[in-house]
Amino acid sequence: MKKQKFIRENFGISDGVLNLVDLSEKKLLVQFKRVEEIAEINQLRVMKAFSDNRGSASHFAATTGYGYDDIGRDMLDKGYAPIFGAEDARVRHNFISGTHTISRALYAVLRPSDILVSITGKPYDTLEEVIGISGEDGNGSLKDFGVRYMEIPLKSNGSPNLEEIKFTLTHTNVKAVTIQRSKGYGWRPTYSAKEIGELIEFVKELSPETICIVDNCYGEFVETEEPTAYGADLAAGSLIKNPGGGLAPTGGYIAGKKKYIELCAYRLTSVGIGKECGASLGFNRQMYQGLFLAPHVVAQAIKSAALCAEVFENLGFEVSPEPNAIRHDIIQSVKFGDPEKVIAFCRGIQKGAPVDSFVMPEPWDMPGYQDQVIMAAGAFVQGASIELSADAPIKPPYIAYMQGGLTYESAKLGIMMAAENIMKL
Ligand SMILES: *Cc1c(COP(=O)(O)O)cnc(C)c1O
């Protein structure tokens, strides 16, 4: 077959790997069909938002300075809200990352002496310093401002500990809880939007005033509903992950209840100014086009994740989620149990990138993370993990987290290169 000959000759993939990948794809037909079905529903929701808001070229015009009356920016907020099943949203390139966006949501609603509780265990690494779990006194963390923090560890099966949550909510005046949808750098299931909705219902029954904030990173468009449609007061994420569709050059979004969204805008810009200012500088078109592409691109990433799971399970490694599992985020974990193998995997993924495919990733001390991390990424947008990427903290049990792939075809090449590397060890 011509294709196989090309891959063999130009990328050094052996027949063993080619056949394994071929067989793996055959076992994923039902999964792929399901993923395409979800993408279609999400695409239709995006199309409706565009048409309801009369999306047009005038929305792409750049504003400068204060950015008053930026209709493109305002329309994007209006379009995001119904897609997320939320009352309101703020979508801005001025949010510089997911961490920044989530931290704006936390600072927006928390006040000195308030209590914040993470009810899904340890939060994402970079949020530790924001909250004040780690980092120095006097740095302006939530703790520094007198916000108290409690954490309810997950049960051994990875689900939230309802008894402990109930105890805390009935004995303490909890201002806000955080729920992390995706597993992040953890070996636990990612929660579905519906499961998060049930958790929120549980919280609200015990403590109706408690604000439920969801770290929605990596979850957008993986299902047909978002946590905001299931009652989350706020959900936030990064535009260089799922909802930017690979085109947003930077940014973040927060969706949720109108009164809290206004506070988030105050925290992003200034109290009193909120959403009225913030020049879009010409980024609107990429944000709109990225949103338009996002349901499809996310589907590409999920298919790539499923292929990775099938291939590496066949090679004898434990994977999470299972190849045919219903997915709630775009992350695929593979447990290698060996530093050499995890490094070989990441180096293979790097070779499947369109940018910097010649680079050899090395473990390094990444700011905000406790352990050394190896990262494979060759992206058009620096650090964009909706583009094919893999990360692994260099610590037992040596788990690699792969995500992304703007196109299934290119991600498939990365997976083949990674499999080849592992088989050669
Ligand atoms: C990526 C991620 C973040 C932080 O986003 P950055 O853009 O890297 O700052 C937070 N939480 C989860 C679960 C994530 O996956």
Side-chain angles (χ1 to χ4, degrees):
M1 184 190 178
K2 246 187 173 167
K3 179 178 81 180
Q4 300 216 341
K5 185 164 177 280
F6 190 87
I7 300 174
R8 213 182 292 119
E9 287 174 2
N10 292 283
F11 296 99
I13 305 289
S14 63
D15 285 342
V17 169
L18 284 171
N19 291 336
L20 170 61
V21 169
D22 230 32
L23 202 69
S24 298
E25 282 185 321
K26 292 203 172 83
K27 289 198 221 157
L28 290 167
L29 290 178
V30 174
Q31 174 74 311
F32 285 4
K33 185 80 200 139
R34 179 163 56 207
V35 171
E36 282 157 16
E37 202 56 44
I38 292 169
E40 193 174 337
I41 294 168
N42 284 329
Q43 189 72 62
L44 292 171
R45 295 231 312 276
V46 169
M47 298 307 284
K48 179 165 162 52
F50 268 81
S51 99
D52 285 353
N53 289 292
R54 303 167 66 88
S56 77
S58 60
H59 292 131
F60 310 150
T63 55
T64 56
Y66 292 132
Y68 287 130
D69 301 321
D70 188 316
I71 57 165
R73 180 194 65 206
D74 296 346
M75 252 355 154
L76 194 60
D77 289 349
K78 278 204 187 121
Y80 252 69
I83 293 169
F84 279 74
E87 288 174 10
D88 205 354
R90 293 290 171 271
V91 192
R92 293 291 182 281
H93 72 270
N94 315 77
F95 288 124
I96 63 118
S97 68
T99 305
H100 180 221
T101 313
I102 295 161
S103 87
R104 291 310 81 194
L106 296 171
Y107 277 88
V109 301
L110 292 160
R111 299 291 175 268
S113 82
D114 279 350
I115 296 175
L116 170 71
V117 182
S118 169
I119 59 173
T120 51
K122 207 174 88 55
Y124 193 75
D125 289 41
T126 56
L127 290 169
E128 289 193 6
E129 284 194 51
V130 173
I131 295 168
I133 302 166
S134 63
E136 277 150 38
D137 287 345
N139 63 2
S141 68
L142 287 170
K143 180 180 167 209
D144 209 37
F145 278 98
V147 173
R148 289 172 291 163
Y149 172 74
M150 296 163 76
E151 192 173 294
I152 301 180
L154 298 172
K155 293 199 294 191
S156 56
N157 67 1
S159 61
N161 190 328
L162 296 182
E163 294 86 70
E164 262 204 59
I165 294 170
K166 183 173 180 184
F167 182 87
T168 304
L169 286 169
T170 44
H171 290 81
T172 321
N173 190 5
V174 176
K175 178 67 173 286
V177 297
T178 55
I179 297 166
Q180 185 181 308
R181 181 175 182 181
S182 170
K183 62 170 80 72
Y185 282 161
W187 189 266
R188 59 117 160 132
T190 286
Y191 310 125
S192 70
K194 185 160 176 281
E195 285 168 328
I196 290 173
E198 286 160 8
L199 191 54
I200 290 168
E201 205 174 310
F202 184 76
V203 169
K204 296 278 185 186
E205 262 171 32
L206 295 161
S207 178
E209 297 303 313
T210 296
I211 302 164
C212 298
I213 305 169
V214 176
D215 172 350
N216 205 27
C217 281
Y218 285 135
E220 301 89 353
F221 298 123
V222 176
E223 304 173 60
T224 56
E225 308 288 346
E226 300 296 333
T228 24
Y230 284 101
D233 294 301
L234 290 171
S238 163
L239 293 193
I240 64 167
K241 291 179 179 172
N242 307 13
L247 278 191
T250 181
Y253 75 90
I254 310 178
K257 301 267 157 63
K258 205 171 186 64
K259 60 180 172 180
Y260 300 129
I261 291 291
E262 197 51 45
L263 291 173
C264 292
Y266 279 178
R267 205 46 48 193
L268 172 65
T269 61
S270 175
V271 176
I273 292 172
K275 69 167 182 172
E276 304 304 328
C277 282
S280 60
L281 304 174
F283 292 125
N284 282 345
R285 184 188 57 78
Q286 285 141 296
M287 313 264 262
Y288 276 86
Q289 199 174 354
L291 174 64
F292 167 71
L293 286 175
H296 178 75
V297 169
V298 169
Q300 300 292 293
I302 300 169
K303 285 175 159 184
S304 307
L307 180 69
C308 177
E310 183 65 48
V311 166
F312 284 89
E313 190 173 74
N314 272 288
L315 290 174
F317 300 103
E318 200 183 327
V319 299
S320 170
E322 290 285 313
N324 277 300
I326 293 177
R327 304 209 165 221
H328 308 299
D329 68 10
I330 63 167
I331 302 179
Q332 182 60 48
S333 319
V334 183
K335 200 183 270 185
F336 287 101
D338 177 343
E340 220 190 335
K341 287 189 180 131
V342 92
I343 291 168
F345 174 83
C346 291
R347 288 181 173 164
I349 295 294
Q350 182 75 34
K351 288 193 218 154
V355 181
D356 292 338
S357 60
F358 55 89
V359 166
M360 181 78 89
E362 296 284 349
W364 65 301
D365 296 302
M366 196 177 160
Y369 294 85
Q370 305 293 328
D371 304 284
Q372 276 211 321
V373 179
I374 182 165
M375 298 198 140
F380 293 100
V381 171
Q382 187 199 80
S385 42
I386 187 62
E387 301 189 45
L388 183 66
S389 51
D391 324 307
I394 305 297
K395 65 171 178 196
Y398 303 101
I399 298 167
Y401 301 86
M402 188 206 85
Q403 60 271 311
L406 293 180
T407 68
Y408 172 74
E409 296 81 1
S410 62
K412 180 175 160 184
L413 176 63
I415 292 162
M416 286 196 276
M417 300 294 251
E420 191 68 41
N421 269 1
I422 296 280
M423 281 173 82
K424 273 205 216 112
L425 277 183

